[in-house]
Amino acid sequence: MSYEKRVERLQEIVADLESDGLPLDSALKLFEEGIEILRLASDELTTAEGRVQLLIERAEGVFETRDIDG
Amino acid sequence: MRHNGWRLREVVTLRRSFGARPVRSGVEFDLFGSSAGAPAFVAPASPGSSPETAIQVASLTETARAVIEGSLSPLWVRGEVSDFKRHRNGHWYFCLRDASAQVRCVVWSRSQRGIPTAPDEGMEVTAYGQLTVYAARGEMHLNVSALDAVGDGLWRKAMEETRLRLDRDGLLAPGRKRTLPTAPTRVGMVTSPDGAALRDVISVIRRRAPHVSLIVSAATVQGANAPAEIVAAIQRICRFGEIDVLIVGRGGGGREDLWAFNDEAVARAISDATVPVISGVGHEIDVTIADLVADHRAATPSAAAEAAVPMRADLLAALRAMGDELCTSLQQCARNGRRDLETAAGALRRAASIDAERRRASIGATAGRLNALSPLATLARGYAVARDATDRRTLASVEDFHAGSLFTLTLRDGDVMARVAEQA
């Protein structure tokens, strides 16, 4: 799941939790899912190391990326 | 061959005579050359100096051409455009004139590549070209290879023409602008891999959002091939697909250096891109066509990178805030659950007490009805019941009575013993 999709899902979860009439066990499941997504998104920001790569198309639709020293 | 042998030789000698030496000294003229079987004596007259040595028209115009081209290198000429004609074969013809003179000009179609667009009638322009003679007409003309209107007029006009075409196709409509992703993790860039623009973008991304990757699709960004290469690079990275947003740009430069970003094909490729595009062209001119079609316009590649990637610290703060919201809403859920439970319990208690009351009321009503049906109530109203004194059987008929027999009479407040006096 992309970072943006994760954040979208988180927003959905919060909205669902805030809606009335949600059974408590469903609320707990949603909450657990939310915490897990939060952890993954946060990891993505803090542990991922951005790279700089040159895009090369070997043949129509066949791609290769090569690191550039930036 | 444009010239037969002797005519060429004639031109050469005429030209030589025109240039270095007086025409009259004809000593070295050799119109026929020894190989052509020349007469034994050399004519003292130079070509064209007598009816006998009259030269061909073509020789004259060719000589004039050679003289003019030989003595005038290409020049910039200023004047006003008139009689502009675009020929079917693609060449442009016009006159450049001022108050007292005019010169015919031609722009071959192959020379038009470096010229932004055709000039307007009456436009004041500077034209760069070689003055020459067109032999077929015997006319002098300027063979133009570069042209611009005074004050960048032609460049502006070309841009305006492109802008109008794009506008007509709806490519400049504000509604077409896509919003940039709030947190891209992969940024694409179309630029020269050796350019300052790429270095600037890399440093901005490393500073703001070190988790973001940059994918470079390389293109030459200036010169004749630049537009085609930029278009190909945009299409390539869109086919690759694994990017969230695309920066198209280069560092600053002069108007001609940046001209590829005013190219219509580049504009259309930007508009067709599969992800939002940020233009980042270092500007010396106000705005490029690429800026107009891009989803977001930045004044430099660095500014484009800043628009593309939010600060990582801000993203982390936003995540923390969402975590807090998550906890708050779960607590609220629990509170809501407890509240619902209490409400339900209260309702249950109320329902139970209402039920008991209803039962009590119902018992009263039944008792009332039972009471109404009891014969005691009838006795209360003054009736009496006669019953046998021994087995307390109700005596309801005269048949049950005999003269002198004892029976019990039950009244409202008790029994009395009675005896039958005689049969009625």
Side-chain angles (χ1 to χ4, degrees):
Chain A
M1 202 191 286
S2 76
Y3 182 85
E4 293 220 335
K5 286 264 180 301
R6 286 204 173 104
V7 170
E8 267 171 38
R9 179 67 192 133
L10 262 180
Q11 283 163 341
E12 264 172 33
I13 288 174
V14 169
D16 283 356
L17 281 176
E18 282 169 353
S19 71
D20 266 352
L22 189 71
L24 205 59
D25 62 334
S26 308
L28 272 171
K29 279 207 190 76
L30 278 177
F31 178 78
E32 277 163 13
E33 186 192 343
I35 292 295
E36 176 64 7
I37 290 176
L38 206 58
R39 190 183 62 76
L40 290 171
S42 173
D43 278 0
E44 194 166 349
L45 289 186
T46 48
T47 62
E49 185 87 36
R51 300 162 81 181
V52 180
Q53 294 177 307
L54 184 68
L55 179 66
I56 297 155
E57 193 170 25
R58 285 269 162 252
E60 178 83 23
V62 181
F63 293 99
E64 182 187 312
T65 51
R66 186 186 299 158
D67 282 359
I68 307 178
D69 301 325
Chain B
M1 279 289 279
R2 285 175 63 187
H3 312 288
N4 59 36
W6 81 265
R7 196 194 290 163
L8 183 62
R9 209 170 301 121
E10 183 183 74
V11 167
V12 170
T13 49
L14 274 172
R15 184 176 172 203
R16 199 182 302 145
S17 65
F18 186 88
R21 291 163 193 271
V23 178
R24 254 170 290 159
S25 107
V27 196
E28 78 278 38
F29 286 122
D30 174 16
L31 276 181
F32 306 102
S34 49
S35 63
F41 67 96
V42 172
S46 56
S49 64
S50 69
E52 290 73 28
T53 58
I55 60 166
Q56 303 268 340
V57 176
S59 304
L60 179 65
T61 54
E62 184 58 26
T63 304
R65 187 191 65 78
V67 167
I68 288 172
E69 286 186 11
S71 41
L72 286 176
S73 43
L75 298 162
W76 282 99
V77 185
R78 180 192 295 259
E80 191 176 286
V81 172
S82 71
D83 295 333
F84 182 89
K85 287 196 181 64
R86 193 190 302 260
H87 196 270
R88 267 199 315 282
N89 55 23
H91 310 317
W92 298 342
Y93 299 94
F94 59 93
C95 270
L96 209 53
R97 63 172 62 181
D98 56 25
S100 59
Q102 68 173 43
V103 61
R104 298 207 62 79
C105 297
V106 59
V107 188
W108 306 119
S109 55
R110 65 169 182 279
S111 307
Q112 290 164 16
R113 266 177 73 167
I115 299 174
T117 190
D120 289 335
E121 195 70 20
M123 193 178 252
E124 175 137 10
V125 299
T126 50
Y128 180 79
Q130 171 70 58
L131 193 66
T132 185
V133 170
Y134 180 45
R137 286 176 176 271
E139 281 178 359
M140 185 172 74
H141 72 235
L142 190 66
N143 198 346
V144 176
S145 55
L147 184 71
D148 196 10
V150 171
D152 285 355
L154 274 195
W155 297 89
R156 288 183 197 286
K157 184 182 172 220
M159 256 184 83
E160 184 57 19
E161 285 168 349
T162 305
R163 198 190 65 76
L164 282 173
R165 278 194 296 273
L166 296 172
D167 196 29
R168 203 172 47 223
D169 291 348
L171 268 52
L172 307 182
R176 274 185 67 94
K177 304 260 181 245
R178 294 169 282 194
T179 51
L180 302 182
T182 51
T185 49
R186 292 165 77 90
V187 174
M189 182 167 191
V190 168
T191 195
S192 160
D194 320 309
L198 179 59
R199 286 198 304 278
D200 291 351
V201 167
I202 291 173
S203 88
V204 169
I205 289 179
R206 293 232 161 110
R207 172 167 55 78
R208 289 174 67 87
H211 63 288
V212 171
S213 286
L214 184 70
I215 316 289
V216 180
S217 186
T220 298
V221 291
Q222 70 188 68
N225 294 333
E229 287 199 23
I230 293 170
V231 168
I234 292 171
Q235 290 170 345
R236 179 165 60 239
I237 202 162
C238 286
R239 277 200 303 278
F240 175 62
E242 297 170 27
I243 53 168
D244 304 312
V245 63
L246 177 62
I247 298 172
V248 177
R250 56 155 292 154
R255 182 195 56 201
E256 278 158 71
D257 296 335
L258 305 182
W259 194 246
F261 294 89
N262 287 321
D263 187 90
E264 186 169 343
V266 169
R268 290 185 186 274
I270 288 174
S271 169
D272 288 343
T274 51
V275 293
V277 176
I278 304 172
S279 66
V281 180
H283 287 224
E284 281 182 20
I285 48 178
D286 292 344
V287 66
T288 63
I289 294 288
D291 290 330
L292 298 179
V293 290
D295 297 293
H296 183 89
R297 169 194 170 192
T300 61
S302 300
E306 281 175 20
V309 294
M311 296 283 275
R312 178 168 69 175
D314 293 345
L315 293 175
L316 284 169
L319 279 185
R320 269 196 301 277
M322 289 186 76
D324 291 348
E325 253 184 288
L326 207 57
C327 292
T328 312
S329 50
L330 184 72
Q331 281 164 0
Q332 188 58 46
C333 266
R335 265 197 298 277
N336 289 352
R338 196 156 48 231
R339 183 201 63 202
D340 291 349
L341 206 60
E342 281 165 4
T343 309
L348 199 62
R349 272 196 300 275
R350 265 195 310 285
S353 76
I354 286 168
D355 195 43
E357 188 60 44
R358 200 176 291 140
R359 277 163 203 250
R360 254 198 306 281
S362 162
I363 286 168
T366 311
R369 295 224 320 277
L370 274 176
N371 196 41
L373 292 172
S374 160
L376 294 173
T378 313
L379 297 180
R381 295 205 297 278
Y383 294 87
V385 181
R387 281 188 289 197
D388 186 273
T390 49
D391 61 8
R392 297 189 67 79
R393 180 169 56 88
T394 301
L395 305 173
S397 158
V398 290
E399 304 288 313
D400 300 327
F401 292 93
H402 310 284
S405 67
L406 274 173
F407 65 97
T408 306
L409 198 60
T410 302
L411 299 152
R412 182 182 65 202
D413 48 358
D415 293 350
V416 291
M417 293 303 288
R419 188 181 298 277
V420 180
E422 64 181 71
Q423 213 123 12

